[in-house]
């Protein structure tokens, strides 16, 4: 008499989409199998297997900013229907930024992080926390990820 209550899906009903395989399910042996709600729609996984259907194992939820900053592929930004959209992986992963400023800052932070990691690869003894540029970039990333 008071209306319907939205139910969380059963563990076996929960599915995710991958670029190459379409729908995938969390494997019943995974520790995340019984979790029926994730705060973020994105998961990273280590193993994908196909039995009766395609399953992923060793998965973890990942939120948007770590995905943008540490995920593979180029970061792109565009204006779509008045929203500033940040995209990864040739547009397969997309999300709306709070503003043009936020989108530009995130894109620039990703570029700076990529360059910092290239510098570290060239000079493995470089202490990223002791050099001023490295400590600023790392500090901004920590602030962004912990306050999102």
């Amino acid at each position: 008499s008071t209306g319907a209550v939205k139910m969380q899906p059963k563990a076996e009903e929960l599915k995710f989409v991958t670029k190459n395989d379409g729908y995938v399910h969390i494997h019943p042996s995974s520790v995340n199998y019984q979790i029926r709600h994730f705060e973020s729609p994105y998961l990273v996984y280590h193993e994908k297997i196909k039995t009766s259907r395609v399953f992923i194992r060793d998965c973890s939820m990942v939120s948007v900013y770590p995905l943008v900053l540490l995920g593979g592929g180029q970061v792109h930004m565009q204006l779509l229907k008045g929203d500033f959209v940040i995209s990864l992986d040739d547009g397969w992963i997309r999300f709306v930024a709070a503003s043009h400023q936020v989108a530009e800052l995130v894109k620039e932070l990703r570029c700076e992080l990529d360059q910092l990691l290239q510098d570290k690869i060239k000079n493995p003894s470089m202490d990223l926390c002791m050099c001023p540029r490295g400590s600023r970039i790392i500090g901004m990333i920590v602030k962004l990820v912990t306050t999102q």
Side-chain angles (χ1 to χ4, degrees), residues 75-88:
V75 176
H76 300 282
M77 185 191 67
Q78 63 189 63
L79 181 62
L80 288 175
K81 299 179 183 176
D83 291 324
F84 292 97
V85 177
I86 296 175
S87 63
L88 298 168

Side-chain angles (χ1 to χ4, degrees), residues 32 42-47 56-62 67:
N32 287 327
Y42 303 107
L43 294 181
V44 293
Y45 61 89
H46 175 67
E47 184 178 30
I56 56 174
R57 284 198 277 214
D58 303 325
C59 60
S60 296
M61 183 203 72
V62 63
L67 183 66

Side-chain angles (χ1 to χ4, degrees), residues 54-116:
V54 180
F55 290 100
I56 56 174
R57 284 198 277 214
D58 303 325
C59 60
S60 296
M61 183 203 72
V62 63
S63 56
V64 170
Y65 289 124
L67 183 66
V68 171
L69 294 172
L70 302 168
Q74 295 293 315
V75 176
H76 300 282
M77 185 191 67
Q78 63 189 63
L79 181 62
L80 288 175
K81 299 179 183 176
D83 291 324
F84 292 97
V85 177
I86 296 175
S87 63
L88 298 168
D89 198 18
D90 298 327
W92 195 77
I93 298 172
R94 300 186 314 177
F95 64 93
V96 176
S99 68
H100 179 258
Q101 231 178 354
V102 169
E104 286 289 344
L105 288 171
V106 168
K107 185 177 177 185
E108 185 63 29
L109 188 56
R110 168 66 187 265
C111 291
E112 289 292 328
L113 176 61
D114 286 348
Q115 185 58 52
L116 184 65

